[in-house]
C-alpha cells in the first residue's frame, strides 16, 4: 500500500516519499509524517536470517513506496559499504546485563552515520525521479555530530552543495576538528556566535524565506535539509531496531514475541522516534526509555505534559544532547493528537510564541510506552566508571547518559525485560570526558596522548576517523553572527 507524507501542521497536499525527502521540511514549517505506519510484512524469523542491508531494504521498501526495489537496493549498497568498519554495520555488545547497540561504526564514529550515509543517495535518486535539474543545497545546523556526518555523506556528491552551521563554542574539540578539516569543493563549514538552538532557528528561517527561495531558483539552486527532521533520515533509523530485535531472536537471546525495551540518549528526538515507529510496525518493543542530560526538557515533558523551553541552556559533556527544542517531538505530538494537524499547529505556535505548550490529558494518556528521566554530569561520569570497572567496557558520554537512566528505570520499576541501549558515539569522539570519568589523573595529558591511552585501556584500535584528523589540515575557518547566516549562504553560492 502506498505511503504518502503530509505536514504535521496540515498545509499542502500529501506527497510521495521522494518529494518529502527532497523538501526536508514542509513549507508551513511542519514535518512530514506518513499517513500510516506500515506493518512489517516479513516474519521476525525470516528477518533474523538476513544481514543488515537486507533488513534495511525490508523496512525502507514499506515506507518509501514510490522508489523501485532496484533504486532502494542501489542506495543501500552505496551507503552501508566499507565506510563502516564492520560488515555487521550495527553490532552489539553485552555489558553488565544490558545490550549496547553500537551505532558508531560508520565514517564519523557516531550514530548519525546510520542515516547520513544513505540520505545523499536517496536525495539524488529522488531528484532524478522528480526531474529536478537544480543543484541541491543542503543546509544543516549541528550540535556536533550531524555536521560531520552530513559533510562526509555529501562531500563531492555531484549535483549537491552542503553548508553546515555549528555553535562555535558548543562542540567538542574533536568534533570541531572533524568538521573544519572536511575536504570537498562543495562544502562550507561555519562556526556561529550562538548555541545550537540559535543555529537551528537560523536555518529554519533561511528555509522559510520565500524571497530567497525565488532568488535561488533563478540561479539554479534549491534548498534541502539533512537534519534529523528529514524523513529520509528517520526511516533508515527504524532499520537498526528491527535488525537488532531479529538478530537477538536468531541468536536465541529473545523468544518469539518477547518484549525488548529500548533506552535512547535523546536530543532532537529522532532516534527514539524511530524506535516508536518500529514498535508501530509491529516490532515487540516494550518501554521506550527517553534519556536526557541536564537539559532535561523532555523529562519534564513526560512527567508533566508541559513542554517548556524557557530555562537555562546547559553545556554538558554530551553536547549532541544539549538541545532545548527537540524538533522531532512534533511528529510524536501529531500522532498522540490522533494525527491531528490543527492541534499540532496550535501547540507549535505556542512553542514559537511563549516557548511552551501543554498537551491534553487525552494526549498524555497516549504516552504510556515512554519513560523519561535524566542523568546529570556526575551520574554520567559515574556510569562510565561503573561499566569500565565492572567489565572493562568503555562507553561515550551520550551512551552513558542512557545507561545511567536505564539504571534509574531498573531501580524504580524492577522491570526485568531485556533492554537495548542505543550506543550513539564511539568513546574516541569524547576522549577527554570519558577518560576523566574513569580517572582524574588523565586530566593533565594532551588530547592525542589520551587517544592512545583510551585505546590501550579499552583494548580497542584507534578508529580510522580519529587517525585521519591527527594529520588533516584545517580548511574551513568561516565564522559569523547569528543574524548574518543568510548573507554567509548567499556569498558561498555567489548570489
Ligand atoms: C545526535 C546524537 C544524539 C541525539 O539523537 P537524536 O536523534 O537527536 O535524539 C545522541 N548521541 C549522539 C552521539 C548524537 O550524535
Amino acid at each position: 500500500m502506498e505511503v504518502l507524507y503530509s505536514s504535521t501542521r496540515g498545509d499542502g497536499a500529501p506527497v510521495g516519499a521522494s518529494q518529502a525527502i527532497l523538501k526536508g521540511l514542509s513549507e508551513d514549517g511542519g514535518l512530514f509524517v506518513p499517513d500510516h505506519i506500515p506493518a512489517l510484512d516479513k516474519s521476525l524469523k525470516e528477518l533474523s536470517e538476513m544481514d543488515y542491508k537486507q533488513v534495511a531494504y525490508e523496512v525502507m521498501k514499506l515506507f518509501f513506496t514510490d522508489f523501485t526495489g532496484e533504486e532502494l537496493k542501489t542506495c543501500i549498497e552505496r551507503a552501508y559499504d566499507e565506510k563502516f568498519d564492520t560488515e555487521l554495520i550495527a553490532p552489539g555488545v553485552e555489558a553488565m546485563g544490558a545490550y549496547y547497540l553500537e551505532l558508531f561504526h560508520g565514517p564519523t564514529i557516531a550514530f548519525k552515520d546510520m542515516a547520513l550515509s544513505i540520505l545523499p543517495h536517496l536525495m539524488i535518486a529522488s531528484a532524478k525521479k522528480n526531474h529536478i535539474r537544480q543543484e541541491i543545497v543542503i543546509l544543516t545546523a549541528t550540535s556536533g555530530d550531524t555536521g560531520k556526518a552530513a559533510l562526509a555523506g555529501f562531500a563531492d556528491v555531484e549535483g549537491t552543495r552542503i553548508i553546515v552551521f555549528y555553535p562555535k563554542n558548543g562542540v567538542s574539540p574533536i568534533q570541531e576538528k572533524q568538521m573544519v578539516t572536511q575536504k570537498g569543493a562543495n562544502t562550507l563549514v561555519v562556526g556561529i556566535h550562538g548555541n545550537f538552538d540559535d543555529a537551528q532557528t537560523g536555518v529554519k528561517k533561511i528555509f522559510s524565506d520565500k524571497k530567497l527561495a525565488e532568488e535561488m531558483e533563478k540561479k539554479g539552486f534549491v534548498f534541502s535539509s539533512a537534519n534529523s527532521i528529514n524523513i529520509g533520515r528517520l526511516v533508515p533509523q527504524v532499520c537498526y531496531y528491527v535488525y537488532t530485535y531479529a538478530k537477538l531472536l536468531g541468536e536465541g537471546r529473545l523468544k518469539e514475541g518477547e518484549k525488548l525495551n529500548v533506552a535512547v540518549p535523546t536530543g532532537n528526538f529522532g532516534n527514539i522516534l524511530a524506535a516508536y515507529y518500529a514498535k508501530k510496525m509491529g516490532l515487540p518493543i516494550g518501554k521506550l526509555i527517553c534519556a536526557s542530560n541536564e537539559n532535561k526538557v523532555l523529562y519534564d515533558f513526560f512527567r508533566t505534559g508541559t513542554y517548556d523551553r524557557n530555562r537555562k541552556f546547559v553545556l554538558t559533556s554530551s553536547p549532541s544532547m544539549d538541545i532545548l527544542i527537540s524538533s522531532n517531538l512534533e511528529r510524536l505530538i501529531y500522532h498522540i493528537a490522533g494525527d491531528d494537524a490543527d492541534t499540532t499547529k496550535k501547540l507549535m505556535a505556542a512553542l514559537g510564541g511563549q516557548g511552551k505548550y501543554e498537551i491534553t490529558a487525552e494526549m498524555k494518556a497516549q504516552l504510556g510506552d515512554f519513560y523519561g528521566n535524566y542523568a546529570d554530569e556526575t551520574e554520567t561520569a559515574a556510569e562510565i566508571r561503573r561499566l569500565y570497572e565492572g567489565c572493562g567496557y568503555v562507553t561515550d558520554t551520550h551512551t552513558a547518559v542512557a545507561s545511567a537512566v536505564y539504571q534509574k528505570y531498573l531501580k524504580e520499576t524492577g522491570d526485568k525485560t531485556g533492554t537495548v541501549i542505543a550506543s550513539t558515539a564511539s568513546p574516541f569522539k569524547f576522549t577527554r570526558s570519558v577518560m576523566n570519568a574513569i580517572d582524574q589523573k588523565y586530566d593533565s595529558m594532551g588530547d592525542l596522548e589520551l587517544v592512545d591511552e583510551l585505546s590501550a585501556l579499552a583494548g580497542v584500535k584507534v578508529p580510522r576517523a580519529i587517525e585521519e584528523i591527527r594529520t588533516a589540515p584545517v580548511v574551513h575557518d568561516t565564522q559569523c553572527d547569528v543574524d548574518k547566516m543568510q548573507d554567509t549562504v548567499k556569498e558561498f553560492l555567489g548570489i
Side-chain angles (χ1 to χ4, degrees), residues 179-225:
M179 287 191 280
V180 298
T181 55
Q182 178 64 49
K183 292 191 211 111
N186 65 337
T187 64
L188 178 69
V189 179
V190 186
I192 66 146
H193 307 136
N195 63 33
F196 171 69
D197 285 323
D198 295 328
Q200 183 154 263
T201 307
V203 163
K204 278 191 182 167
K205 235 195 212 147
I206 298 175
F207 270 125
S208 55
D209 189 322
K210 297 232 161 69
K211 203 172 131 252
L212 179 64
E214 277 170 27
E215 265 179 82
M216 297 266 298
E217 204 184 324
K218 268 190 232 141
K219 302 276 178 170
F221 296 112
V222 59
F223 277 135
S224 194
S225 152

Side-chain angles (χ1 to χ4, degrees), residues 49 138 158 163 403 442 490:
E49 281 147 21
I138 301 296
E158 217 176 298
I163 305 171
S403 193
Y442 294 115
K490 284 177 149 181

Side-chain angles (χ1 to χ4, degrees), residues 109-112 143-146 175 228 233-234 237 240 264-273 291 298 318-321 323 326 328 396-399 422-426 429-430:
I109 58 174
F111 103 100
K112 305 285 193 295
S143 55
D145 289 333
T146 306
Q175 284 178 319
S228 66
R233 279 192 51 192
L234 191 59
Q237 294 178 179
Y240 47 74
V264 184
T266 299
N268 234 344
F269 209 75
N271 199 356
I272 194 162
L273 188 75
L298 285 167
S318 44
S320 299
M321 298 158 70
I323 285 173
S326 296
N328 265 300
D396 95 294
T397 44
H398 303 74
T399 307
S423 185
T424 51
S426 157
K429 200 150 185 178
F430 301 93

Side-chain angles (χ1 to χ4, degrees), residues 239-423:
C239 303
Y240 47 74
Y241 291 109
V242 176
Y243 169 73
T244 298
Y245 188 99
K247 196 169 84 166
L248 291 174
L249 185 71
E251 290 169 358
R253 298 212 228 178
L254 282 174
K255 290 188 202 62
E256 245 180 276
E258 191 180 338
K259 287 255 192 313
L260 179 69
N261 291 341
V262 171
V264 184
T266 299
N268 234 344
F269 209 75
N271 199 356
I272 194 162
L273 188 75
Y276 173 79
Y277 275 20
K279 179 166 180 160
K280 293 218 147 195
M281 294 183 86
L283 197 69
I285 289 179
K287 283 283 179 197
L288 298 154
I289 299 170
C290 176
S292 302
N293 63 22
E294 288 178 15
N295 295 290
K296 58 182 181 60
V297 60
L298 285 167
Y299 164 63
D300 293 336
F301 168 71
F302 283 118
R303 211 164 34 94
T304 64
T306 295
Y307 192 94
D308 186 356
R309 63 150 304 183
N310 301 303
R311 61 182 71 210
K312 216 177 132 241
F313 179 83
V314 189
L315 288 178
T316 72
S317 59
S318 44
S320 299
M321 298 158 70
D322 289 345
I323 285 173
L324 292 181
I325 300 179
S326 296
S327 300
N328 265 300
L329 186 67
E330 182 167 341
R331 287 193 169 107
L332 181 66
I333 295 293
Y334 174 86
H335 293 309
I336 61 173
D339 287 3
D340 180 356
D342 286 337
T343 302
T344 312
K345 191 171 173 174
K346 275 188 207 123
L347 295 177
M348 294 307 131
L351 182 65
Q354 294 94 271
K356 66 174 184 176
Y357 61 82
E358 187 179 358
I359 60 172
T360 62
E362 223 179 6
M363 288 168 74
K364 192 157 186 273
Q366 307 280 314
L367 294 176
D369 289 338
F370 286 89
Y371 167 89
N373 213 325
Y374 75 103
D376 65 21
E377 290 291 274
T378 312
E379 290 166 334
T380 303
E383 183 64 5
I384 292 175
R385 204 160 47 242
R386 184 184 75 89
L387 285 165
Y388 172 67
E389 285 170 0
C391 67
Y393 186 58
V394 182
T395 68
D396 95 294
T397 44
H398 303 74
T399 307
V401 167
S403 193
V405 164
Y406 171 57
Q407 291 303 314
K408 287 187 182 182
Y409 171 79
L410 266 184
K411 265 210 197 93
E412 260 174 50
T413 64
D415 180 2
K416 296 262 166 36
T417 306
T419 298
V420 160
I421 294 174
S423 185

Side-chain angles (χ1 to χ4, degrees), residues 52 54 119 133 136 164 256 289 333 362 378 403 440:
Y52 191 86
Q54 289 168 318
L119 184 70
R133 287 180 220 295
I136 298 172
V164 171
E256 245 180 276
I289 299 170
I333 295 293
E362 223 179 6
T378 312
S403 193
Q440 282 294 334

